[in-house]
């Protein structure tokens, strides 16, 4: 509540000293454990922040507030004749609503009205000696008045009645846990109507259980059970009466048996893991340094896909073995395939990334980028397609041309005919000679 009020006060246009004084005063309201002290304190706040001029009542209230803030106690506020009169007045609740129907809102409304009228009366009787009130800020009092209907929820006025203190909020947290885990069974996304119905049934059951466990009810149950034993009843009559007289008992929790011996699990290094695919990021060794990998999704997918293809089709491995002397990246792929076969995922990724100059001499390798930068453009030797184009003219000085491309451009509007389009693109084609004679 203090944090909420601080956020609300920050939006009000006023001096910082005024906001601090109001926030300290609101802190006194939070720690007030008596309704009488709260009414006195609320009246002091209204007199300080609602009076346009520094009247005697305003000065007296300001001194009392500062003294209470310095001592961090509301016991030094004292009571005056005006405060006693305000306590004795009766209030009527006219407006209806969730907040306005609260009896505390009516009490605070009467205190607010009495203090405001008192400030106006003293201001009208002023003979010109009173100066302007430097703490005048009615927006702060209006902000406080919004929460007067829920005073028991954010203050301590009801603590003494239930013999509670603010030393701990364990009961509240315990109730939240009971609501989430036991009542709602971790199904938190519910409609308000369903939530209220479930909570009502649970609370009614708890109340019924407390009633059955009361001393008077227990004495009555024992007398009924004793009377049933004395009287001769059939088994059917006894089974019909048993649910109403039996006592509910919790099942005793049996202690768990501890094992006599404990076998520690085998320690697994970063190179030995049971995962069937390379994990995201990783940590490994390279050139006597510990390398931390991150954002490795740019290399995980394609390297793993190539590894699966080589594993399923051994002919790919044989073909790459014949080409490893022509390109360093092909030789690197074969080594990565061996690492991935042994589930050494991090070693394989470090081996591939060690060929990039951007990671030389660094311990933290951030692979942020795209698969085109880290995989595709490094396999140009494998992706390159060469084809020969022949000229239709017999007198052309260049009867044939060889071209190399890393892209496959196949115009196809219908995907059912995609294979036919690829076959026609791969066939030897002839072009019309456009050279001038």
């Amino acid at each position: 509540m203090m944090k909420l009020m601080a956020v609300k006060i920050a939006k009000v246009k006023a001096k910082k000293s005024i906001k601090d004084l109001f926030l300290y005063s609101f802190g006194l309201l939070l720690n007030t454990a008596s309704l009488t002290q709260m009414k006195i304190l609320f009246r002091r706040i209204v007199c300080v922040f609602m009076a346009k001029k520094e009247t005697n009542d305003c000065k007296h209230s300001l001194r009392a507030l500062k003294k209470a803030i310095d001592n961090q106690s509301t016991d030094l506020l004292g009571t005056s004749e005006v405060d006693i009169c305000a306590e004795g007045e009766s209030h009527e609740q006219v407006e209806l609503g969730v907040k306005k129907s609260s009896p505390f809102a009516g009490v605070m409304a009467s205190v607010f009205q009495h203090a405001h009228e008192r400030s106006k009366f003293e201001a009208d009787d002023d003979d010109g000696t009173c100066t302007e009130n430097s703490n005048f800020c009615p927006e702060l009092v209006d902000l406080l008045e919004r929460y007067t209907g829920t005073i028991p929820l954010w203050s301590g006025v009801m603590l003494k009645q239930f013999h509670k203190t603010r030393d701990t909020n364990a009961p509240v947290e315990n109730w939240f846990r009971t609501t989430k885990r036991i009542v709602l069974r971790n199904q938190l996304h519910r409609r308000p109507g369903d939530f209220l119905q479930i909570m009502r049934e649970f609370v009614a059951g708890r109340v019924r259980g407390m009633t059955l466990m009361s001393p008077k009810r227990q004495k009555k149950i024992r007398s009924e059970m004793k009377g049933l034993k004395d009287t001769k009843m059939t088994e059917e009559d006894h089974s019909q009466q048993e649910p109403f007289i039996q006592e509910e008992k919790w099942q005793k929790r049996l202690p768990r048996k501890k094992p006599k011996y404990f076998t520690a699990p085998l320690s697994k290094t970063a190179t030995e893991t049971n995962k069937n695919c390379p994990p995201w990021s990783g940590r490994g060794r390279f050139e006597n340094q510990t390398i931390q990998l991150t954002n490795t999704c740019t290399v995980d997918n394609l390297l793993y896909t190539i590894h699966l293809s080589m594993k399923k089709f051994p002919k790919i491995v044989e073909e790459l073995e014949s080409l490893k002397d022509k390109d360093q990246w092909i030789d690197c792929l074969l080594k990565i395939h061996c690492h991935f076969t042994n589930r050494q995922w991090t070693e394989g990724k470090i081996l591939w990334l060690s060929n990039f100059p951007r990671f030389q001499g660094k311990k933290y390798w951030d692979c942020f980028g795209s698969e085109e930068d880290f995989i595709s453009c490094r396999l140009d030797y494998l992706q390159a397609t060469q084809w020969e184009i022949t000229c239709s003219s017999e007198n052309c000085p260049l009867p044939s041309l060889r071209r190399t491309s890393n892209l496959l451009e196949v115009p196809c509007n219908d995907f059912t005919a995609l294979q036919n389009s690829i076959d026609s693109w791969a066939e030897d084609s002839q072009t019309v000679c456009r050279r001038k004679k």
Side-chain angles (χ1 to χ4, degrees), residues 324-342:
K324 66 179 182 179
D325 297 333
K326 298 180 180 181
D327 188 74
Q328 63 169 353
W329 297 101
I330 297 178
D331 185 25
C332 188
L333 279 178
L334 293 173
K335 295 179 181 179
I336 292 173
H337 175 62
C338 296
H339 282 301
F340 281 11
T341 303
N342 299 326

Side-chain angles (χ1 to χ4, degrees), residues 254-258:
L254 300 177
R256 295 182 179 180
K257 295 183 179 179
K258 296 183 179 180

Side-chain angles (χ1 to χ4, degrees), residues 102-154:
S102 172
F104 293 91
V107 173
M108 294 304 166
S110 62
V111 174
F112 173 79
Q113 184 179 1
H114 186 277
H116 191 48
E117 291 178 355
R118 178 73 179 181
S119 299
K120 284 186 177 181
F121 177 75
E122 291 188 358
D124 294 339
D125 292 346
D126 179 29
D127 54 356
T129 57
C130 296
T131 59
E132 297 292 333
N133 184 13
S134 59
N135 297 316
F136 177 70
C137 188
E139 292 83 1
L140 296 176
V141 180
D142 295 339
L143 182 63
L144 177 61
E145 196 176 6
R146 299 178 188 175
Y147 302 99
T148 55
T150 57
I151 284 177
L153 299 181
W154 53 263

Side-chain angles (χ1 to χ4, degrees), residues 325-428:
D325 297 333
K326 298 180 180 181
D327 188 74
Q328 63 169 353
W329 297 101
I330 297 178
D331 185 25
C332 188
L333 279 178
L334 293 173
K335 295 179 181 179
I336 292 173
H337 175 62
C338 296
H339 282 301
F340 281 11
T341 303
N342 299 326
R343 294 185 179 180
Q344 297 175 352
W345 312 111
T346 306
E347 279 72 7
K349 290 188 288 185
I350 290 178
L351 181 61
W352 178 266
L353 296 173
S354 62
N355 297 314
F356 290 82
R358 59 186 288 187
F359 298 130
Q360 298 298 328
K362 297 182 180 179
K363 296 183 180 180
Y364 185 79
W365 294 6
D366 189 357
C367 305
F368 181 79
S370 63
E371 295 179 344
E372 175 68 22
D373 299 334
F374 285 94
I375 303 293
S376 301
C377 67
R378 311 298 171 180
L379 301 177
D380 290 342
Y381 187 83
L382 295 176
Q383 299 180 82
T385 303
Q386 295 182 356
W387 71 94
E388 186 177 359
I389 301 175
T390 58
C391 185
S392 60
S393 176
E394 297 178 356
N395 301 325
C396 182
L398 297 174
S400 63
L401 293 174
R402 288 186 178 183
R403 293 186 177 180
T404 304
S405 176
N406 295 330
L407 300 177
L408 180 63
E409 296 181 1
V410 180
C412 180
N413 297 326
D414 188 5
F415 287 100
T416 58
L418 179 60
Q419 186 62 43
N420 296 332
S421 301
I422 296 176
D423 295 339
S424 61
W425 176 84
E427 291 178 356
D428 295 337

Side-chain angles (χ1 to χ4, degrees), residues 169-294:
N169 64 337
V172 178
E173 298 294 340
N174 187 31
W175 174 249
F176 286 159
R177 180 192 62 82
T178 303
T179 304
K180 293 178 181 179
R181 308 300 179 192
I182 300 176
V183 182
L184 301 180
R185 297 180 181 179
N186 293 328
Q187 299 178 4
L188 305 181
H189 298 283
R190 294 178 179 270
R191 294 182 177 180
D194 298 339
F195 172 74
L196 293 176
Q197 184 177 3
I198 294 173
M199 290 300 297
R200 181 186 178 278
E201 294 177 356
F202 180 78
V203 173
R206 292 283 293 267
V207 173
R208 193 181 303 112
M210 294 296 293
T211 305
L212 293 175
M213 295 303 295
S214 61
K216 293 183 179 180
R217 182 62 179 173
Q218 289 291 323
K219 186 177 180 180
K220 185 178 181 181
I221 290 175
R222 294 192 189 95
S223 61
E224 291 179 357
M225 293 179 65
K226 185 177 180 181
L228 290 176
K229 291 180 180 179
D230 297 338
T231 58
K232 295 182 179 181
M233 298 180 61
T234 61
E235 294 182 359
E236 296 181 358
D237 297 337
H238 186 74
S239 61
Q240 293 178 359
Q241 294 291 335
E242 187 176 3
F244 299 97
I245 61 176
Q246 62 184 357
E247 182 180 359
E248 182 181 4
K249 293 183 179 180
W250 291 96
Q251 184 179 2
K252 294 183 179 180
R253 181 178 297 178
L254 300 177
R256 295 182 179 180
K257 295 183 179 179
K258 296 183 179 180
K260 295 182 180 179
Y261 304 99
F262 175 73
T263 303
L266 298 177
S267 60
K268 297 181 180 180
T269 60
T271 59
E272 299 177 356
T273 176
N274 294 327
K275 294 185 178 179
N276 297 323
C277 61
W280 188 83
S281 69
R283 183 190 293 268
R285 300 285 296 178
F286 178 73
E287 295 182 353
N288 298 326
Q289 288 185 350
T290 302
I291 305 300
Q292 176 65 42
L293 301 177
T294 184

Side-chain angles (χ1 to χ4, degrees), residues 13 47 77 106 115 145 167:
K13 295 182 180 180
C47 292
L77 287 175
E145 196 176 6
D167 296 339

Side-chain angles (χ1 to χ4, degrees), residues 23-178:
L23 195 59
Y24 283 122
S25 302
F26 182 75
L28 293 176
L29 284 175
L30 288 178
N31 297 322
T32 303
S34 172
L35 184 60
T36 302
Q37 292 181 351
M38 175 164 285
K39 288 192 294 183
I40 298 172
L41 182 58
F42 187 74
R43 183 190 175 280
R44 301 297 186 199
I45 293 175
V46 173
C47 292
V48 172
F49 294 98
M50 290 294 292
K52 294 183 179 181
K53 296 185 178 181
E54 287 189 350
T55 59
N56 295 330
D57 194 12
C58 178
K59 295 178 180 179
H60 177 68
S61 300
L62 181 60
R63 287 194 300 267
L65 275 180
K66 290 183 176 181
K67 189 175 181 180
I69 292 172
D70 293 338
N71 293 276
Q72 298 181 0
S73 175
T74 57
D75 297 334
L76 302 176
L77 287 175
T79 57
S80 61
E81 297 180 358
V82 179
D83 298 328
I84 297 174
C85 295
E87 292 178 12
E89 293 180 354
S90 60
H91 56 275
E92 296 181 359
Q93 198 63 29
V94 180
E95 301 184 22
L96 298 178
V98 177
K99 296 181 180 179
K100 295 298 183 179
S101 59
S102 172
F104 293 91
V107 173
M108 294 304 166
S110 62
V111 174
F112 173 79
Q113 184 179 1
H114 186 277
H116 191 48
E117 291 178 355
R118 178 73 179 181
S119 299
K120 284 186 177 181
F121 177 75
E122 291 188 358
D124 294 339
D125 292 346
D126 179 29
D127 54 356
T129 57
C130 296
T131 59
E132 297 292 333
N133 184 13
S134 59
N135 297 316
F136 177 70
C137 188
E139 292 83 1
L140 296 176
V141 180
D142 295 339
L143 182 63
L144 177 61
E145 196 176 6
R146 299 178 188 175
Y147 302 99
T148 55
T150 57
I151 284 177
L153 299 181
W154 53 263
S155 68
V157 295
M158 303 295 289
L159 294 179
K160 288 186 177 180
Q161 183 176 358
F162 294 101
H163 304 286
K164 302 290 183 181
T165 62
R166 282 191 171 183
D167 296 339
T168 177
N169 64 337
V172 178
E173 298 294 340
N174 187 31
W175 174 249
F176 286 159
R177 180 192 62 82
T178 303

